[in-house]
Amino acid sequence: MSELPADSAAWLQARWQTELDERAAAGRLRELRQPVPVRVNLADNDYLGLAQDPAVKNAVRAALDIGPASASSSPLVRGYTDAHASLEAALMSWHGFPSALLWNTGFTANQAVLGTLAAPGDLIFADRLVHHSLIAGILKSGAKFTRFPHNDLDALERLLGETATPGRTRWVVTESVYSMDGDSPDLARLAELKRRHRFLWLLDEAHALGWFGPRGQGRAAEAGVTAEVDILVGTLGKALGAMGAYSLFHDKILREALVNHAGEFIYSTYLSPLLAAAAQAALIRVHELAPRAENWRNQSRQFRAALRAHGWDTPSGDSPIVPVIIGADQAVAVLGARLLERGFAVGAIRPPTVPAGTARLRLSLKASTTWSELESLINELDAWRAENPAHFPATAGQQ
């Protein structure tokens, strides 16, 4: 008599229980929690506070009075509304691109753009620290994929020089502000490399919008390289306080290709028109707030300097993302929980989101963050370190 087939449900349960137990033992188990009230929120990406801005909320109410709450269908059926078209026009004007396309999420945008437009036979060079959504799109495309060391444009230039094959489509994929390190590449040099090596450049500006640029348009506008960026991806759910994302193109045929071939666009119920209205109202607020941006950036510099003066491992910079490298997975989880008890919401980021040995606090500064709040946070960090010296070398706290 042959053996009875295995119970598939039991095998599936056992397989995942083992994996989750291993992750928990390593201090890397993710858990879904509802937020609790805090004194200082340095965890989310609402950098300008626009998710709670009265003008943005009023735009949602006004849109609800005249239209539906949901797009209720694919954009190719009836989901693409006047609200979406109006937002696209505003985004094109803001960034100076002739073509735009909205997406439900930033992950969807990156996966669809690269997964659809790149193809087997193409060659893609991506910074080692680009977001998982960009990697997902690259892998979906089937293109040959090479990572270059983070922000190492000398290495990128060597790779470009070694692969100069006529007729081959080459891409370079970077971000303007990296989501876990808060740092930036030299965009002016990337533009110069683009002019010499004639690759397609995709730049993800998700974490730069609102904080950088003469009108909050991001790092590309600040560096004066918008004309060299072939595809710019931005988000509506961070500094703009809404939800969704967009991609911008100098070549309108790329938009047409995505509308016709990107399954993420064709087969999904579209972004709510209420959120499109919220994002357009947020654009107006970004323009109004932009003259104050240097104040936020100065505070980021000063906060980082103060952290380093207290012996914390924090890079220099002026972005809203301030990483504090702790190292050990369990330590950063315990520290994050301790800060939450003290009224500070922070990101406690562990592998595999960041490389092993670089678990960190991820602090998201806000335009509304005060210096006294940041000083209080440093005091809490110092107190915790004094209580837990085993997590730090003997020189911790010294310069």
Side-chain angles (χ1 to χ4, degrees):
M1 173 183 280
S2 61
E3 288 188 17
L4 294 173
D7 183 330
S8 296
W11 278 112
L12 181 65
Q13 191 276 342
R15 183 172 74 210
W16 281 105
Q17 189 64 61
T18 298
E19 194 281 335
L20 292 171
D21 288 346
E22 291 173 354
R23 180 165 287 202
R28 299 178 180 180
L29 187 67
R30 296 183 174 106
E31 297 180 84
L32 195 61
R33 296 188 180 96
Q34 293 175 277
V36 298
V38 292
R39 285 192 294 130
V40 183
N41 176 11
L42 298 175
D44 66 34
N45 299 316
D46 185 20
Y47 302 127
L48 306 187
L50 296 184
Q52 294 288 347
D53 189 90
V56 175
K57 288 185 171 184
N58 287 337
V60 174
R61 294 187 186 99
L64 189 57
D65 284 342
I66 62 173
S70 170
S72 300
S73 69
S74 159
L76 291 172
V77 181
R78 282 185 62 87
Y80 182 74
T81 69
D82 290 345
H84 299 102
S86 180
L87 176 57
E88 285 180 346
L91 291 166
M92 287 186 282
S93 175
W94 190 36
H95 287 281
F97 278 74
S99 186
L101 192 62
L102 298 177
W103 303 89
N104 288 354
T105 68
F107 196 107
T108 299
N110 282 333
Q111 178 176 274
V113 169
L114 282 167
T116 304
L117 298 180
D122 290 1
L123 182 56
I124 300 178
F125 300 110
D127 187 288
R128 182 164 293 279
L129 295 188
V130 294
H131 193 267
H132 180 64
S133 57
L134 292 163
I135 301 299
I138 292 168
L139 295 176
K140 179 187 173 189
S141 75
K144 185 177 179 182
F145 170 34
T146 300
R147 291 183 173 184
F148 60 90
H150 180 51
N151 283 342
D152 188 343
L153 301 189
D154 289 337
L156 173 61
E157 185 169 13
R158 287 193 296 273
L159 288 168
L160 291 167
E162 293 166 359
T163 58
T165 304
R168 188 173 198 179
T169 301
R170 297 185 299 172
W171 301 69
V172 169
V173 177
T174 67
E175 300 179 29
S176 62
V177 173
Y178 284 87
S179 61
M180 290 296 122
D181 286 50
D183 59 348
S184 300
D186 183 342
L187 296 185
R189 186 174 174 198
L190 275 164
E192 188 272 331
L193 288 175
K194 160 73 186 296
R195 288 189 288 270
R196 287 198 290 115
H197 291 278
R198 301 178 66 82
F199 53 79
L200 289 164
W201 183 11
L202 184 147
L203 180 66
D204 187 332
E205 289 262 37
H207 292 278
L209 300 176
W211 200 265
F212 296 101
R215 292 184 293 129
Q217 316 99 303
R219 285 275 198 192
E222 179 181 79
V225 300
T226 300
E228 279 72 38
V229 177
D230 296 282
I231 303 172
L232 187 149
V233 180
T235 181
L236 307 173
K238 294 180 172 62
L240 294 182
M243 183 177 174
Y246 57 94
S247 49
L248 298 167
F249 317 95
H250 290 301
D251 187 344
K252 295 182 180 182
I253 199 169
L254 300 183
R255 181 183 191 271
E256 186 175 353
L258 290 165
V259 168
N260 281 274
H261 292 279
E264 297 90 341
F265 181 85
I266 298 167
Y267 301 112
S268 291
T269 297
Y270 210 29
L271 185 73
S272 166
L274 303 185
L275 294 170
Q280 189 156 356
L283 282 180
I284 296 171
R285 294 290 291 127
V286 168
H287 296 165
E288 294 169 350
L289 293 169
R292 306 179 203 172
E294 191 57 32
N295 296 332
W296 319 326
R297 292 166 67 170
N298 279 334
Q299 181 157 270
S300 177
R301 297 183 192 103
Q302 293 163 8
F303 179 47
R304 294 161 187 264
L307 284 165
R308 290 195 300 276
H310 282 248
W312 294 97
D313 184 0
T314 299
S316 60
D318 62 353
S319 80
I321 301 167
V322 180
V324 181
I325 310 302
I326 305 300
D329 299 355
Q330 292 283 12
V332 79
V334 171
L335 177 53
R338 158 74 171 257
L339 291 172
L340 187 61
E341 291 174 359
R342 298 293 200 270
F344 293 89
V346 302
I349 310 299
R350 296 158 291 170
T353 302
V354 293
T358 69
R360 74 210 39 206
L361 298 180
R362 181 187 182 277
L363 310 176
S364 294
L365 302 185
K366 309 292 192 294
S368 60
T369 305
T370 67
W371 185 250
S372 64
E373 290 170 339
L374 297 179
E375 285 184 316
S376 294
L377 176 61
I378 293 174
N379 291 337
E380 292 289 349
L381 290 171
D382 289 349
W384 183 83
R385 182 175 56 197
E387 296 168 11
N388 298 272
H391 291 306
F392 300 93
T395 55
Q398 301 175 13
Q399 284 285 42

